[in-house]
Amino acid sequence: MPNPPIEPRNDAAWQSTSRLLIAGNWKMNGSMDALTTINEIAIAATSASGTIEVVLFPPTTLLAPAINLIRPHTLRLGGQDCSSEATGACTGEISAEMLADAGANFVLVGHSERRKRHGETDDSVRQKALQAVEAGLFPIICIGESSNERAAQKTMEVLTTQIMEAVPRTVSATSFAIAYEPLWAIGSGQAAEDRDIEDAHRHIRTELQRHWGLRSEAIPILYGGSVSPSNCSAILALPGVNGLLVGGASLNSGQFSAIIACAAELAGRSAE
Ligand code: PGA
Protein backbone atom coordinates (compact mmCIF):
# COMPACT_ATOMS: atom_id res chain seq x y z
CA MET A 1 0.00 0.00 0.00
CA PRO A 2 1.46 3.44 -0.88
CA ASN A 3 2.38 5.72 1.99
CA PRO A 4 -0.18 8.46 2.72
CA PRO A 5 0.79 11.85 1.26
CA ILE A 6 2.90 14.11 3.47
CA GLU A 7 0.63 16.79 4.90
CA PRO A 8 1.83 20.30 5.72
CA ARG A 9 2.62 20.38 9.42
CA ASN A 10 2.78 24.14 9.86
CA ASP A 11 -0.73 25.44 10.47
CA ALA A 12 0.52 28.93 9.75
CA ALA A 13 1.28 28.02 6.14
CA TRP A 14 -1.19 28.98 3.49
CA GLN A 15 -4.15 26.65 3.86
CA SER A 16 -7.00 28.29 2.04
CA THR A 17 -7.75 27.11 -1.46
CA SER A 18 -10.19 29.81 -2.39
CA ARG A 19 -8.15 32.93 -1.71
CA LEU A 20 -5.76 34.66 -4.08
CA LEU A 21 -2.09 34.31 -3.18
CA ILE A 22 0.04 37.38 -3.91
CA ALA A 23 3.79 36.82 -3.60
CA GLY A 24 6.64 39.33 -3.82
CA ASN A 25 10.14 38.13 -4.70
CA TRP A 26 12.84 40.64 -3.77
CA LYS A 27 15.68 38.55 -5.22
CA MET A 28 19.12 39.92 -4.20
CA ASN A 29 17.81 43.33 -3.19
CA GLY A 30 17.27 44.98 0.16
CA SER A 31 19.39 45.85 3.18
CA MET A 32 18.33 46.73 6.74
CA ASP A 33 16.87 50.08 5.72
CA ALA A 34 14.39 48.18 3.53
CA LEU A 35 12.60 47.08 6.72
CA THR A 36 10.59 50.30 6.38
CA THR A 37 9.34 49.07 3.00
CA ILE A 38 8.50 45.68 4.51
CA ASN A 39 6.51 47.43 7.20
CA GLU A 40 4.54 49.38 4.58
CA ILE A 41 3.84 46.18 2.66
CA ALA A 42 2.74 44.50 5.92
CA ILE A 43 0.22 47.29 6.52
CA ALA A 44 -1.16 46.88 2.97
CA ALA A 45 -1.36 43.10 3.45
CA THR A 46 -3.24 43.47 6.73
CA SER A 47 -5.79 45.82 5.25
CA ALA A 48 -6.44 43.24 2.51
CA SER A 49 -6.49 40.21 4.79
CA GLY A 50 -9.50 37.97 4.79
CA THR A 51 -9.77 38.04 1.03
CA ILE A 52 -6.21 37.37 -0.09
CA GLU A 53 -2.94 36.03 1.31
CA VAL A 54 0.27 38.04 0.85
CA VAL A 55 3.77 36.62 1.18
CA LEU A 56 7.08 38.38 0.76
CA PHE A 57 10.40 36.74 -0.10
CA PRO A 58 13.10 39.15 1.11
CA PRO A 59 16.81 38.21 1.12
CA THR A 60 17.58 35.76 3.92
CA THR A 61 19.43 38.40 5.96
CA LEU A 62 16.16 40.29 6.42
CA LEU A 63 14.01 37.33 7.42
CA ALA A 64 14.60 37.36 11.17
CA PRO A 65 14.31 41.14 11.69
CA ALA A 66 11.30 41.27 9.38
CA ILE A 67 9.51 38.51 11.31
CA ASN A 68 9.69 40.61 14.47
CA LEU A 69 8.54 43.70 12.67
CA ILE A 70 5.49 42.18 11.01
CA ARG A 71 4.29 40.21 14.03
CA PRO A 72 1.05 42.24 14.41
CA HIS A 73 0.34 41.90 10.69
CA THR A 74 -0.95 39.14 8.44
CA LEU A 75 1.93 39.33 5.97
CA ARG A 76 3.77 36.03 5.62
CA LEU A 77 7.45 35.67 4.83
CA GLY A 78 9.41 33.11 2.88
CA GLY A 79 12.90 32.13 1.79
CA GLN A 80 13.93 32.46 -1.86
CA ASP A 81 15.50 28.99 -1.95
CA CYS A 82 16.40 26.12 0.37
CA SER A 83 18.84 23.25 0.31
CA SER A 84 17.90 19.88 -1.12
CA GLU A 85 19.56 18.37 1.95
CA ALA A 86 18.17 18.41 5.48
CA THR A 87 21.48 19.16 7.21
CA GLY A 88 25.22 18.70 6.89
CA ALA A 89 28.27 19.75 4.90
CA CYS A 90 26.62 22.19 2.47
CA THR A 91 28.59 25.42 2.94
CA GLY A 92 26.58 28.49 2.01
CA GLU A 93 23.24 26.71 1.91
CA ILE A 94 20.22 27.17 4.14
CA SER A 95 17.95 24.29 5.04
CA ALA A 96 14.17 24.43 4.95
CA GLU A 97 14.18 23.68 8.67
CA MET A 98 16.37 26.78 9.29
CA LEU A 99 13.98 28.98 7.33
CA ALA A 100 11.06 27.62 9.36
CA ASP A 101 13.07 28.18 12.53
CA ALA A 102 13.63 31.82 11.54
CA GLY A 103 9.85 32.23 11.20
CA ALA A 104 9.32 31.72 7.47
CA ASN A 105 6.16 29.98 6.31
CA PHE A 106 6.93 29.74 2.60
CA VAL A 107 9.85 29.07 0.26
CA LEU A 108 10.40 29.54 -3.47
CA VAL A 109 11.98 26.58 -5.22
CA GLY A 110 13.14 26.21 -8.80
CA HIS A 111 13.09 29.89 -9.71
CA SER A 112 14.52 30.20 -13.22
CA GLU A 113 17.39 32.35 -11.96
CA ARG A 114 18.41 29.48 -9.63
CA ARG A 115 18.02 26.97 -12.45
CA LYS A 116 20.07 29.07 -14.86
CA ARG A 117 22.78 30.50 -12.62
CA HIS A 118 23.19 27.53 -10.29
CA GLY A 119 22.42 24.65 -12.62
CA GLU A 120 19.43 23.48 -10.63
CA THR A 121 17.62 20.58 -12.23
CA ASP A 122 14.02 19.40 -11.87
CA ASP A 123 15.40 16.62 -9.74
CA SER A 124 17.02 18.98 -7.21
CA VAL A 125 13.95 21.25 -7.27
CA ARG A 126 11.80 18.25 -6.33
CA GLN A 127 14.16 17.40 -3.43
CA LYS A 128 13.99 21.01 -2.23
CA ALA A 129 10.19 21.03 -2.39
CA LEU A 130 10.12 17.82 -0.38
CA GLN A 131 12.50 19.23 2.23
CA ALA A 132 10.27 22.30 2.45
CA VAL A 133 7.06 20.35 3.05
CA GLU A 134 8.78 18.11 5.59
CA ALA A 135 10.00 21.23 7.44
CA GLY A 136 6.46 22.65 7.54
CA LEU A 137 7.04 25.25 4.82
CA PHE A 138 4.73 25.85 1.87
CA PRO A 139 6.86 25.69 -1.30
CA ILE A 140 6.00 27.63 -4.43
CA ILE A 141 7.49 25.52 -7.21
CA CYS A 142 8.47 27.66 -10.21
CA ILE A 143 8.19 26.35 -13.76
CA GLY A 144 8.18 27.99 -17.20
CA GLU A 145 9.51 27.79 -20.73
CA SER A 146 12.39 29.72 -22.33
CA SER A 147 11.91 31.92 -25.38
CA ASN A 148 13.54 29.26 -27.61
CA GLU A 149 11.20 26.59 -26.29
CA ARG A 150 8.29 28.91 -26.87
CA ALA A 151 9.42 29.68 -30.42
CA ALA A 152 9.69 25.94 -31.07
CA GLN A 153 6.10 25.56 -29.74
CA LYS A 154 7.29 23.34 -26.94
CA THR A 155 5.73 25.28 -24.06
CA MET A 156 3.22 22.62 -23.01
CA GLU A 157 5.73 19.80 -23.38
CA VAL A 158 8.24 21.67 -21.18
CA LEU A 159 5.59 22.37 -18.54
CA THR A 160 4.53 18.72 -18.50
CA THR A 161 8.12 17.56 -17.95
CA GLN A 162 8.70 20.11 -15.20
CA ILE A 163 5.52 19.10 -13.40
CA MET A 164 6.34 15.40 -13.73
CA GLU A 165 9.88 15.87 -12.46
CA ALA A 166 10.01 18.89 -10.17
CA VAL A 167 6.84 18.30 -8.16
CA PRO A 168 7.11 15.61 -5.47
CA ARG A 169 4.34 13.03 -5.79
CA THR A 170 4.39 12.11 -2.12
CA VAL A 171 3.01 15.40 -0.82
CA SER A 172 -0.63 16.34 -0.44
CA ALA A 173 -2.39 18.76 -2.80
CA THR A 174 -2.77 21.26 0.02
CA SER A 175 0.95 21.54 0.70
CA PHE A 176 2.37 23.46 -2.28
CA ALA A 177 1.71 25.95 -5.08
CA ILE A 178 2.97 26.24 -8.65
CA ALA A 179 4.19 29.50 -10.18
CA TYR A 180 4.08 29.64 -13.97
CA GLU A 181 6.80 32.07 -15.01
CA PRO A 182 7.68 32.16 -18.71
CA LEU A 183 11.42 32.91 -18.63
CA TRP A 184 11.23 35.55 -21.34
CA ALA A 185 8.61 37.48 -19.36
CA ILE A 186 10.72 37.75 -16.19
CA GLY A 187 12.16 41.22 -15.73
CA SER A 188 11.51 42.07 -19.39
CA GLY A 189 8.60 44.46 -18.87
CA GLN A 190 6.68 42.21 -21.26
CA ALA A 191 4.16 39.99 -19.50
CA ALA A 192 2.76 37.00 -21.39
CA GLU A 193 -0.41 37.54 -23.40
CA ASP A 194 -3.69 36.77 -21.63
CA ARG A 195 -4.45 33.88 -23.96
CA ASP A 196 -1.03 32.29 -23.38
CA ILE A 197 -1.37 32.59 -19.59
CA GLU A 198 -4.81 31.02 -19.72
CA ASP A 199 -3.66 28.14 -21.93
CA ALA A 200 -0.59 27.44 -19.78
CA HIS A 201 -2.59 27.50 -16.54
CA ARG A 202 -5.22 25.16 -17.99
CA HIS A 203 -2.49 22.78 -19.12
CA ILE A 204 -0.79 22.88 -15.70
CA ARG A 205 -4.10 22.16 -13.96
CA THR A 206 -4.75 19.19 -16.25
CA GLU A 207 -1.28 17.79 -15.56
CA LEU A 208 -1.77 18.19 -11.80
CA GLN A 209 -5.13 16.43 -12.06
CA ARG A 210 -3.41 13.35 -13.47
CA HIS A 211 -1.80 12.75 -10.13
CA TRP A 212 -3.95 14.51 -7.55
CA GLY A 213 -7.32 14.09 -9.27
CA LEU A 214 -10.03 16.39 -7.98
CA ARG A 215 -7.87 17.34 -5.01
CA SER A 216 -5.62 19.21 -7.46
CA GLU A 217 -8.18 22.03 -7.32
CA ALA A 218 -6.56 22.93 -4.01
CA ILE A 219 -3.21 23.68 -5.66
CA PRO A 220 -2.85 27.42 -6.37
CA ILE A 221 -1.32 28.25 -9.74
CA LEU A 222 0.29 31.69 -9.79
CA TYR A 223 1.45 33.70 -12.78
CA GLY A 224 4.78 35.53 -12.69
CA GLY A 225 6.71 37.65 -15.19
CA SER A 226 6.54 41.47 -15.44
CA VAL A 227 3.43 41.82 -13.29
CA SER A 228 2.72 45.48 -12.54
CA PRO A 229 -0.07 47.61 -11.06
CA SER A 230 -1.30 48.25 -14.60
CA ASN A 231 -1.64 44.63 -15.76
CA CYS A 232 -2.43 42.83 -12.46
CA SER A 233 -6.19 43.06 -12.57
CA ALA A 234 -6.43 41.74 -16.14
CA ILE A 235 -4.13 38.82 -15.29
CA LEU A 236 -5.90 37.99 -12.03
CA ALA A 237 -9.25 38.01 -13.82
CA LEU A 238 -8.12 35.22 -16.17
CA PRO A 239 -9.67 31.82 -15.52
CA GLY A 240 -7.23 29.49 -13.75
CA VAL A 241 -5.03 32.23 -12.26
CA ASN A 242 -4.97 31.89 -8.45
CA GLY A 243 -2.39 34.52 -7.67
CA LEU A 244 0.75 36.35 -8.75
CA LEU A 245 4.51 36.09 -8.22
CA VAL A 246 5.79 39.64 -8.50
CA GLY A 247 9.49 40.53 -8.82
CA GLY A 248 10.51 44.11 -9.61
CA ALA A 249 7.20 45.73 -8.67
CA SER A 250 7.30 44.16 -5.18
CA LEU A 251 10.40 46.20 -4.28
CA ASN A 252 8.38 49.37 -4.29
CA SER A 253 5.83 49.44 -1.47
CA GLY A 254 3.54 51.79 -3.43
CA GLN A 255 3.46 49.51 -6.46
CA PHE A 256 3.18 46.29 -4.48
CA SER A 257 0.44 47.77 -2.28
CA ALA A 258 -1.46 48.73 -5.45
CA ILE A 259 -1.21 45.12 -6.66
CA ILE A 260 -2.37 43.88 -3.23
CA ALA A 261 -5.32 46.28 -3.27
CA CYS A 262 -6.27 45.23 -6.78
CA ALA A 263 -6.21 41.54 -5.79
CA ALA A 264 -8.27 42.27 -2.67
CA GLU A 265 -10.86 44.11 -4.69
CA LEU A 266 -11.17 41.29 -7.20
CA ALA A 267 -11.35 38.65 -4.46
CA GLY A 268 -13.94 40.71 -2.60
CA ARG A 269 -16.06 41.05 -5.73
CA SER A 270 -15.98 37.32 -6.48
CA ALA A 271 -16.93 36.54 -2.87
CA GLU A 272 -20.10 38.67 -3.12
P1 PGA B 1 9.46 40.30 -12.49
O1 PGA B 1 10.06 39.00 -11.77
O2 PGA B 1 8.11 40.56 -11.89
O3 PGA B 1 10.45 41.39 -12.19
O4 PGA B 1 9.36 39.99 -13.94
C1 PGA B 1 9.26 37.88 -11.48
C2 PGA B 1 10.09 36.80 -10.86
O5 PGA B 1 11.26 36.63 -11.21
O6 PGA B 1 9.60 36.06 -9.98
Side-chain angles (χ1 to χ4, degrees):
M1 208 168 102
N3 289 331
I6 301 169
E7 296 290 343
R9 75 169 154 80
N10 185 347
D11 288 345
W14 191 71
Q15 302 269 312
S16 165
T17 54
S18 55
R19 294 196 284 178
L20 292 173
L21 177 55
I22 306 299
N25 173 15
W26 274 17
K27 312 189 180 188
M28 199 171 68
N29 296 290
S31 39
M32 287 299 167
D33 57 9
L35 288 171
T36 323
T37 309
I38 296 183
N39 197 41
E40 288 161 4
I41 291 172
I43 293 168
T46 300
S47 56
S49 68
T51 49
I52 65 167
E53 188 78 29
V54 185
V55 53
L56 189 67
F57 297 89
T60 317
T61 47
L62 293 186
L63 268 183
I67 298 278
N68 283 327
L69 185 74
I70 62 158
R71 221 171 274 286
H73 294 288
T74 57
L75 177 68
R76 306 268 193 216
L77 293 177
Q80 296 176 9
D81 180 40
C82 68
S83 177
S84 55
E85 306 285 328
T87 181
C90 309
T91 303
E93 294 196 30
I94 295 181
S95 72
E97 197 71 56
M98 289 169 178
L99 291 172
D101 183 50
N105 294 122
F106 286 72
V107 65
L108 290 178
V109 292
H111 190 282
S112 66
E113 286 151 17
R114 298 287 320 166
R115 291 175 184 260
K116 187 162 169 228
R117 301 177 66 102
H118 300 273
E120 288 187 10
T121 60
D122 284 332
D123 199 41
S124 67
V125 173
R126 188 181 67 252
Q127 300 295 339
K128 285 168 185 241
L130 201 54
Q131 288 292 340
V133 176
E134 285 175 351
L137 296 176
F138 190 92
I140 299 181
I141 304 169
C142 304
I143 59 174
E145 82 286 1
S146 67
S147 53
N148 284 346
E149 289 161 342
R150 179 174 187 245
Q153 301 193 329
K154 291 207 160 124
T155 299
M156 303 308 169
E157 198 181 308
V158 168
L159 295 177
T160 297
T161 306
Q162 290 177 333
I163 292 165
M164 296 286 290
E165 292 176 12
V167 181
R169 309 265 131 177
T170 48
V171 301
S172 82
T174 54
S175 60
F176 70 97
I178 299 286
Y180 168 58
E181 298 204 299
L183 272 51
W184 46 271
I186 295 176
S188 66
Q190 184 73 59
E193 298 289 329
D194 291 356
R195 162 70 80 82
D196 293 336
I197 298 175
E198 216 181 307
D199 287 351
H201 280 234
R202 190 183 315 108
H203 181 78
I204 293 167
R205 180 70 65 203
T206 306
E207 291 299 321
L208 293 170
Q209 268 163 1
R210 276 182 210 275
H211 183 71
W212 282 276
L214 277 179
R215 281 166 303 155
S216 69
E217 290 303 315
I219 305 167
I221 306 174
L222 319 187
Y223 168 79
S226 295
V227 172
S228 69
S230 53
N231 63 19
C232 63
S233 64
I235 297 174
L236 281 173
L238 295 172
V241 175
N242 310 117
L244 301 169
L245 179 52
V246 185
S250 71
L251 285 164
N252 177 301
S253 61
Q255 287 192 25
F256 197 41
S257 300
I259 293 172
I260 291 169
C262 147
E265 199 202 314
L266 256 160
R269 249 191 274 151
S270 59
E272 274 165 15

